């Protein structure tokens, strides 16, 4: 599994969800993507103790996301985006990781999706609002099967 956001900027500190994932999935390969490389380095011993690996960089950057796929090997059954809240962070992570890192039939969870339309989080060209892209895909999916018996 891959979770974006180790929690380095949270009041309770990094790694809390890493402990939860390890408890619920004791044999899983668990990765985190985190913006703050210094935080990851500072807490490396704790992550190692949990058997959790981490990649670092800005999730809004497509080159960084491609590097994450290469470094982790991809092939995740479960990806959770609980990282940055800007629209381009959410959008780019979904576009790259859904296609290149998620196994067929895998689950991709986007936490805090509501921020895509919140003015303080809207960045980019205004045409790639993640919630709108997903809505359009769902519309395409449902209308392509309209009238069929499938």
């Amino acid at each position: 599994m891959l979770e974006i956001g180790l929690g380095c900027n949270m009041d309770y500190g990094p790694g809390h969800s890493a402990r939860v994932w390890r408890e619920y999935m004791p044999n899983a390969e668990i990765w985190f993507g985190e913006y703050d490389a210094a935080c990851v380095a500072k807490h490396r011993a704790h992550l190692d103790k949990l058997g959790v690996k981490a990649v670092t960089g800005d999730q809004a950057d497509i080159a960084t996301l491609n590097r994450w796929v290469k470094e982790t090997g991809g092939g995740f059954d479960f990806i959770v985006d609980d990282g940055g809240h800007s629209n381009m962070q959410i959008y780019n992570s979904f576009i790259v990781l859904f296609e290149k890192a998620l196994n067929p039939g895998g689950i991709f969870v986007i936490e805090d999706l509501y921020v895509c339309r919140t003015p303080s989080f809207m960045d980019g060209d205004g045409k790639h609002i993640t919630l709108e892209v997903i809505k359009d895909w769902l519309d395409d999916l449902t209308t392509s099967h309209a009238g069929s018996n499938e």
Side-chain angles (χ1 to χ4, degrees):
M1 79 150 298
L2 169 69
E3 179 173 352
I4 302 171
L6 185 61
C8 288
N9 63 342
M10 302 304 289
D11 292 337
Y12 50 76
H16 284 263
S17 62
R19 285 194 296 276
V20 172
W21 293 130
R22 181 52 67 213
E23 180 180 334
Y24 286 107
M25 299 182 292
N27 300 314
E29 182 176 357
I30 300 173
W31 284 87
F32 277 83
E34 172 57 48
Y35 180 83
D36 187 345
C39 173
V40 171
K42 179 179 177 182
H43 297 281
R44 176 67 62 198
H46 177 65
L47 297 174
D48 289 346
K49 183 179 177 183
L50 291 171
V52 172
K53 300 173 185 174
V55 289
T56 59
D58 183 358
Q59 75 183 95
D61 180 57
I62 291 176
T64 295
L65 294 165
N66 283 318
R67 178 176 50 79
W68 287 3
V69 173
K70 185 176 180 181
E71 288 181 23
T72 64
F76 296 109
D77 293 319
F78 190 47
I79 297 175
V80 176
D81 182 350
D82 191 22
H85 288 61
S86 81
N87 190 63
M88 293 314 295
Q89 289 172 317
I90 296 169
Y91 178 82
N92 287 346
S93 296
F94 181 71
I95 294 302
V96 172
L97 299 176
F98 186 88
E99 179 183 332
K100 296 182 179 180
L102 188 66
N103 282 332
I107 298 170
F108 197 109
V109 175
I110 303 172
E111 295 192 19
D112 306 311
L113 186 58
Y114 70 93
V115 301
C116 293
R117 291 188 182 138
T118 304
S120 61
F121 292 106
M122 291 185 75
D123 58 349
D125 61 9
K127 297 177 185 177
H128 296 93
I129 299 171
T130 310
L131 192 57
E132 294 300 322
V133 171
I134 294 170
K135 180 186 151 303
D136 288 345
W137 287 344
L138 289 172
D139 287 345
D140 289 346
L141 178 66
T142 56
T143 57
S144 68
H145 291 292
S148 73
N149 292 326
E150 295 179 33

